[in-house]
Amino acid sequence: MNLYLDLFLTFARVGGLTFGGGYAMLPILQREIVENKHWVTDEELTDYFAIGQCTPGIIAVNTATFTGHRTAGIPGGILATLGVVTPSTIIIGIIAAFLQNFSDLPVVIHAFAGVRACVCALILNSVIKLLKTSVIDKPAAVIYAVALLFSAFLGLSPILVVLLAGVAGLSIRLIKKLSAQERGESK
Amino acid sequence: MILARLFFEFFKVGLFSVGGGLATIPFLQHIGTSTGWFTVADLANMIAVSESTPGPMGVNMASYVGFTIAGPVGCIIATLGLITPSVFIILIIAQFLQKFRHSWGVESVFYGLRPASTALITAALVTVAQLALFSPLSWKSIILAVAVFVCLRIKPLKKFHPAVFIGLSAIIGIVFSF
């Protein structure tokens, strides 16, 4: 089979089989692209995930672009990415069309009121997990508190919050590095 | 014109959201309030649908919002907007992969970005909870939210997929007419 077509179809299968994205995708990617297709090694896949996590954008998309690029250059990267998003677009399109027509039914209204309560619990659970990996020391806790204050109560745009936090992270680490150097010199 | 705006708004989401599906929520909330395309209630419904259908959650959210605003074409345009910055950034990074990962500057920026991203999601949670539980005050919803949260923290139950909890909550919502 044509390699480009194979990339597109394989990633379409991954996109269609994963619920939730991110880490839920890892075992399916391991089976499809490491064990079946031998496009990348396990180590490379782990690297792609790590980078995908700390670059802007959706982790699943980032990993697909990486693998496609590794296998068949820039066109490969683009086709793998289009593959991974295609099932979502089709499935969600169908559901959204369906819901638009039925959203006034009392059954649908009651169901979604229940679902929204559930969504609160799910997000809270994710936030608790994220706090453990992101707020790793006191300065990080301050960044968390200030960012929360700015976005929840002062309505600052999330884009500004992200930019300011990046600058803050860089500054804090720079100060730490410099003060460590000073201590080293004074000894 | 609305398609260009849709592409551009989701391009920004793809460019600035760091850390996967949930990280897109605060940005989508911002789009909702600044354009009037959808309400917080719509957003909460979209989150539920995106979590219980296959595919990366961020992509599902983009497809859903795009479809609601401009039909099937909007669905495709919003998704393309979301993934375009990723594709460019990753293709550039792929050229000098080894240098990037352990660079001091990149690590430092992300040291600041990660707590901020968590804070943004917390803020989005506050908005969604206000709507779903407190306006108007609904004891049924609060009890359900607490019950689901407790289940998510208990060992044998937390292994269930979110879709299971979402499906059960929908049934409870219908049975007890929330």
Side-chain angles (χ1 to χ4, degrees), chain A residues 85 88-89 92-93 96, chain B residues 58-68 74-75 78-79:
Chain A
V85 301
S88 290
T89 348
I92 295 285
Chain B
V59 175
N60 291 349
M61 297 286 285
S63 304
Y64 200 128
V65 175
F67 193 97
T68 322
C75 182
T79 307

Side-chain angles (χ1 to χ4, degrees), chain B residues 3 6-15 62 74-87:
Chain B
L3 289 178
L6 199 57
F7 184 88
F8 178 65
E9 291 292 341
F10 277 93
F11 187 91
K12 285 196 289 186
V13 176
L15 189 57
C75 182
I76 293 166
I77 293 289
T79 307
L80 288 179
L82 179 79
I83 64 176
T84 302
S86 285
V87 172

Side-chain angles (χ1 to χ4, degrees), chain B residues 6 18 21 40 42 70 81 85 96-97 134 140 142 144 147 157 174 178:
Chain B
L6 199 57
V18 177
V40 178
D42 294 333
F96 51 101
L97 175 62
F134 301 109
K140 286 189 222 171
I142 293 172
L144 177 60
L157 293 175
I174 295 168
F178 272 40

Side-chain angles (χ1 to χ4, degrees), chain B residues 1-177:
Chain B
M1 200 48 227
I2 193 156
L3 289 178
R5 179 96 194 266
L6 199 57
F7 184 88
F8 178 65
E9 291 292 341
F10 277 93
F11 187 91
K12 285 196 289 186
V13 176
L15 189 57
F16 288 102
S17 64
V18 177
L22 277 178
T24 60
I25 295 171
F27 293 90
L28 294 175
Q29 196 193 328
H30 190 68
I31 293 179
T33 48
S34 64
T35 60
W37 284 341
F38 50 89
T39 64
V40 178
D42 294 333
L43 183 63
N45 298 348
M46 291 170 188
I47 296 170
V49 171
S50 304
E51 286 225 54
S52 24
T53 44
M57 198 189 146
V59 175
N60 291 349
M61 297 286 285
S63 304
Y64 200 128
V65 175
F67 193 97
T68 322
I69 310 307
V73 180
C75 182
I76 293 166
I77 293 289
T79 307
L80 288 179
L82 179 79
I83 64 176
T84 302
S86 285
V87 172
F88 274 109
I89 293 168
I90 295 292
L91 287 179
I92 292 167
I93 290 175
Q95 311 292 334
F96 51 101
L97 175 62
Q98 293 308 323
K99 270 190 201 163
F100 175 81
R101 266 208 72 182
H102 301 292
S103 120
W104 181 85
V106 172
E107 271 182 18
S108 301
V109 169
F110 278 95
Y111 167 81
L113 284 190
R114 284 193 204 101
S117 176
T118 309
L120 288 175
I121 300 169
T122 313
L125 168 65
V126 171
T127 316
V128 173
Q130 257 168 6
L131 167 106
L133 312 177
F134 301 109
S135 61
L137 182 74
S138 158
W139 285 109
K140 286 189 222 171
S141 297
I142 293 172
I143 292 166
L144 177 60
V146 172
V148 172
F149 180 72
V150 170
C151 291
L152 288 169
R153 309 300 296 180
I154 297 174
K155 252 221 168 83
L157 293 175
K158 72 179 178 189
K159 288 223 172 82
F160 285 118
H161 193 273
V164 174
F165 292 106
I166 292 172
L168 286 176
S169 300
I171 294 168
I172 293 172
I174 295 168
V175 172
F176 295 96
S177 56

Side-chain angles (χ1 to χ4, degrees), chain A residues 49-68:
Chain A
F49 249 78
I51 298 165
Q53 248 193 332
C54 61
T55 41
I58 311 302
I59 299 170
V61 170
N62 295 353
T63 311
T65 313
F66 253 126
T67 314

